[in-house]
Amino acid sequence: GKQTKHARHRTLFATVLSLIASVCFGLAITGEKYLLDTIGAPTYALIGIGMQFLPLLFLALYYNRDQFKHFRKSKFRNRVIIMGGVRAGAGLLFILSLIGANNASLIGMLSGFKIILTTLLAVILLKELTFIKRKLLASCIACIGVGLMLW
């Protein structure tokens, strides 16, 4: 019915956004490697963090200003700090892997494992069971694809 049609449109819109994000990530990985070779890791980290933080802060303040009230709760604040630390750690490890491997295509390809892990964790932790067979099959195919590229 009407609800199913709306859900399909939302999923299609989200899929298009995800594809655009994938293109942006591909450009970002290549650009990050270039910048790391040109200006060095410390300068890039400072600029990169600032370039990500400022727009997000403005968006959060503009669209969801009332959401900041949740930070008064220590449980919520601790979770945000932990997840922010995990995300920052992942970013640092990614930058270090780009520097160490000196091969943006290899590191970009290996970062594809996050697709597989995200799918599995979403099923286990978030109970996202919609299209579970399709998701698990796609994860297996992604594993095979990454394996073939490394072979």
Side-chain angles (χ1 to χ4, degrees):
K2 195 174 193 177
Q3 239 179 357
T4 305
K5 188 176 179 180
H6 180 67
R8 277 193 219 128
H9 285 178
R10 275 192 10 225
T11 301
L12 177 63
F13 181 70
T15 302
V16 169
L17 289 179
S18 181
L19 291 172
I20 294 169
S22 294
V23 170
C24 291
F25 279 125
L27 291 170
I29 290 170
T30 308
E32 283 176 337
K33 179 62 181 135
Y34 171 78
L35 289 172
L36 286 166
D37 289 343
T38 306
I39 63 174
T43 305
Y44 173 75
L46 179 65
I47 294 169
I49 290 168
M51 292 299 291
Q52 292 178 40
F53 177 73
L54 288 176
L56 293 174
L57 179 63
F58 288 128
L59 281 173
L61 289 173
Y62 182 76
Y63 287 108
N64 290 324
R65 186 174 297 156
D66 61 327
Q67 296 298 315
F68 287 96
K69 66 183 176 207
H70 294 296
F71 280 95
R72 290 187 211 130
K73 302 174 192 163
S74 66
K75 184 177 181 181
F76 179 83
R77 190 173 47 248
N78 291 341
R79 286 181 180 171
V80 169
I81 290 169
I82 289 168
M83 292 315 301
V86 169
R87 187 76 169 183
L92 176 64
L93 292 173
F94 181 78
I95 295 299
L96 292 174
S97 67
L98 274 177
I99 294 168
N102 199 24
N103 188 336
S105 58
L106 173 67
I107 300 307
M109 181 180 50
L110 288 174
S111 71
F113 277 120
K114 70 182 168 201
I115 299 165
I116 300 158
L117 187 59
T118 300
T119 301
L120 295 174
L121 289 175
V123 168
I124 295 167
L125 300 176
L126 302 176
K127 308 296 185 231
E128 290 185 2
L129 301 176
T130 308
F131 305 117
I132 182 68
K133 289 179 185 175
R134 203 180 303 173
K135 290 176 183 177
L136 292 176
L137 177 62
S139 292
C140 290
I141 292 169
C143 278
I144 292 167
V146 170
L148 288 174
M149 285 193 230
L150 292 174
W151 187 17

